[in-house]
Each structure stands twice: as structure tokens, then as C-alpha cells.
Amino acid sequence: MTRCVAFAGRHFHQPAFSTSPPHTFTTRLSMSTAATEESQQEQREESRPPQPNDREETLVSPWAQATTREGRNNKSRFRQHVNPLARRFQMETELPMEWPQGTFDDPSLPLHLDIGCGKGGFLLELATTRRQEQADVQMNYLGLEIRPNVARHAKGRVARYNLTGSLDFIGCNANVDLRRLLSLYQENGGGSIDFVSIQFPDPHFKASHVKRRVVTPELVVALADFLAEGKEVFIQSDVQELFDDMREKFREYGAELFEDTVEDFGKFLPENPIGVPTEREISVLDQDLPVYRTIFRRTGKAVEE
């Protein structure tokens, strides 16, 4: 028995039931077991008190140790989740000397910052589209991603899209390193942060894992510190509970610092204001499922010391 599958306008017939050789199941089981063990190890690290030799063990950041799996066409093995509270993710990331000088052709241009950029498809598409259709929009683009191998994969795509000098990806934990990164960016000649996007972040569904979510009070205040009046933060998710949680954080801890452009908490932006969807967004909309969105605009209120 076969079923018809459409791909790129063509139709293919494939068995309705898996015909994978036995070793395929064993391989997948081994990968699943390894991922479970790594997750359990991260949970132990989260609750484990610091030890005398911790400094020596974590001397090299996980982003410096990342392997280039994209070179082996092994993208399917990227982990979907990591524990941002694990010890190894509490480090500062490594940056080139004088960054962003030498990374961006013109660091003084305004910056679009995408927190939790994944494999970088959104920024790659956005930068390419603007270059082709909006030549008058001159910006730099920076994506931050906590998963080391995913960040490395995204960075490897920049040259293939001919975007070297205007787009960069950095592996880091935004909840640990965002303020330092933005400080270095502006101290070393970087331009204003004009727009921030936080799209479909990991929902961390378990009640005990909610503290792992990317939007925290500290992140809200850090963004307020570096965004000038009128600059915007765009958030969206297909998980309403997560979206509401992010929105509440900005409304509570960014009170007077940010204005929600959709005043009614029960309402959302009907369309993506950027005009370029993420891969996740496309998948969700293709299933006729809702996406929850809003934009927060920076007010003129200064952050209190």
C-alpha cells in the first residue's frame, strides 16, 4: 500500500508504513536516549551548588566548543531544547576583538536584533528581501541563539546568502549576556538598536521550567536601557499562555518604559507587521492555527538606576 506525497509541485509515491531498516529504529532510540540523558544532566546542573573546581571546568564556553554539524548535512540532529539555567550556559560568549568592528561593514547603521533566532532563516530572508526590494532601508542584523550548534549553523549560512558585513549570528545566553553585548556594540561604534524581535521562543511548558523562559524582568529592563524613544519590540507566539506571560512581563516590569500598541490585553495584532514570517509561523498558519502578536514601543521614560 502506498500514499501520494507532494513536494515542490511534484508527486511521489511512498509506502504507507515505514520500511526503515531495523538499525534506523535503533539509531533513533539511541539519539532519544542520549537527549534524555543530556536533559537530565542539565537539570542536575541547575540544582547543583557551585563546586571549587567549577571555574576550571567551564573555562571554555559551549559556543566556542560547538561543532559544525551543518558541514555534515546533519541538521536533523539539532536539539530542540536546552536548559538556559544549566551551569555551562551561565558564561559570557566569546567575541572577536573590537566587535562589532570587523564584523559589520558599517557598524553605525541601525540594528535589528532577533533574540532566539534559531537557524537564522528569518533574518536571512528579511535582509535579502530588503536588499532586493527596499534598497533605501540600510540596516544591520544580529541574531542571538543559545543552542551552540544551531548558532554555528546559522552563522555558516551568512556567506551563502551574500550577507557578510550586514548580518551576524552569535551563540549566547541572552539572559546572561545581553546587556554586555549591547554595551560592547555601542561602545565600539555600533549604531542604534532600532527593532527587537522575540518570535516563538521555547515555551518550557512544565511549571518547574517556566523560570527558563527567555523574557524575564531583567531582559525587559535591559532592552529599555538600550532602546531609544519610539523604538520597538515585537513579540509573537502560537502558544497563548506563553505570549500572555511575555506580554505581562513587558507590561509589569516595563511599565512606563514600554507602551503596548494593542491596548486591550485580550486582543492581538492580526498580521505580522514585518511582512516576513518565520519558518514556525508559516507552519502554524498553514494549519489554520492562531498566532498571537503585539508590539511594544519605547517611551521617553528613563530607566531608573
Side-chain angles (χ1 to χ4, degrees):
M1 180 177 178
T2 63
R3 60 192 178 99
C4 184
V5 179
F7 179 74
R10 301 170 61 187
H11 290 80
F12 301 85
H13 292 275
Q14 67 180 38
F17 301 99
S18 173
T19 58
S20 300
H23 72 272
T24 302
F25 174 76
T26 304
T27 301
R28 289 175 180 169
L29 181 61
S30 299
M31 290 169 57
S32 176
T33 302
T36 300
E37 290 176 350
E38 188 172 354
S39 177
Q40 292 173 345
Q41 174 63 23
E42 288 181 348
Q43 290 184 35
R44 288 194 292 270
E45 287 182 0
E46 181 180 334
S47 58
R48 170 181 173 275
Q51 302 296 313
N53 61 343
D54 281 353
R55 179 179 176 83
E56 180 179 352
E57 291 176 0
T58 59
L59 196 59
V60 180
S61 80
W63 303 285
Q65 296 172 326
T67 58
T68 48
R69 289 182 175 176
E70 74 280 5
R72 303 206 311 262
N73 194 27
N74 211 10
K75 292 175 282 188
S76 62
R77 294 191 180 184
F78 289 140
R79 289 196 63 190
Q80 294 300 308
H81 312 278
V82 297
N83 177 5
L85 300 182
R87 270 189 312 123
R88 66 196 185 104
F89 291 121
Q90 303 311 298
M91 300 185 64
E92 296 178 347
T93 194
E94 297 181 5
L95 296 169
M97 292 291 292
E98 303 302 321
W99 180 86
Q101 300 290 339
T103 297
F104 294 104
D105 291 340
D106 183 359
S108 67
L109 291 175
L111 181 72
H112 181 137
L113 174 66
D114 190 37
I115 299 176
C117 63
K119 291 180 284 187
F122 164 71
L123 282 185
L124 289 163
E125 182 67 24
L126 178 63
T128 299
T129 299
R130 285 182 173 169
R131 173 178 290 182
Q132 295 173 347
E133 301 177 5
Q134 304 174 36
D136 57 321
V137 178
Q138 298 292 314
M139 291 192 74
N140 289 325
Y141 304 87
L142 176 64
L144 307 182
E145 171 58 41
I146 190 171
R147 293 169 294 169
N149 292 337
V150 178
R152 179 69 64 89
H153 170 72
K155 198 174 185 74
R157 302 175 74 185
V158 174
R160 296 200 296 273
Y161 277 72
N162 195 30
L163 291 169
T164 302
S166 61
L167 170 61
D168 191 26
F169 294 104
I170 292 177
C172 71
N173 185 344
N175 292 128
V176 171
D177 220 8
L178 179 64
R179 186 176 289 276
R180 182 183 74 99
L181 289 176
L182 296 184
S183 294
L184 286 173
Y185 185 82
Q186 294 192 333
E187 288 171 5
N188 291 334
S192 61
I193 293 89
D194 268 24
F195 197 89
V196 178
S197 49
I198 306 173
Q199 306 179 79
F200 303 94
D202 192 329
H204 293 293
F205 286 112
K206 293 182 180 179
S208 60
H209 292 178
V210 169
K211 59 187 175 182
R212 301 179 181 182
R213 291 177 174 174
V214 67
V215 176
T216 63
E218 293 78 13
L219 184 133
V220 170
V221 175
L223 290 177
D225 250 340
F226 288 92
L227 267 65
E229 182 177 358
K231 306 307 181 185
E232 297 176 333
V233 179
F234 173 54
I235 62 172
Q236 66 170 340
S237 175
D238 57 319
V239 179
Q240 185 171 1
E241 187 273 329
L242 169 61
F243 174 81
D244 289 345
D245 182 58
M246 292 192 291
R247 197 177 197 180
E248 286 175 354
K249 292 289 195 307
F250 272 94
R251 285 191 170 202
E252 179 178 357
Y253 299 98
E256 299 185 352
L257 300 173
F258 289 100
E259 174 191 8
D260 192 340
T261 58
V262 181
E263 186 175 352
D264 188 335
F265 193 81
K267 295 183 178 180
F268 323 95
L269 290 175
E271 303 289 340
N272 182 332
I274 301 174
V276 174
T278 70
E279 293 174 359
R280 174 68 180 176
E281 188 173 358
I282 293 171
S283 174
V284 170
L285 295 177
D286 282 348
Q287 300 174 66
D288 291 324
L289 297 174
V291 175
Y292 308 96
R293 316 176 178 94
T294 194
I295 285 180
F296 283 89
R297 185 171 295 121
R298 184 69 171 89
T299 68
K301 172 83 171 174
V303 177
E304 296 181 359
E305 296 294 335

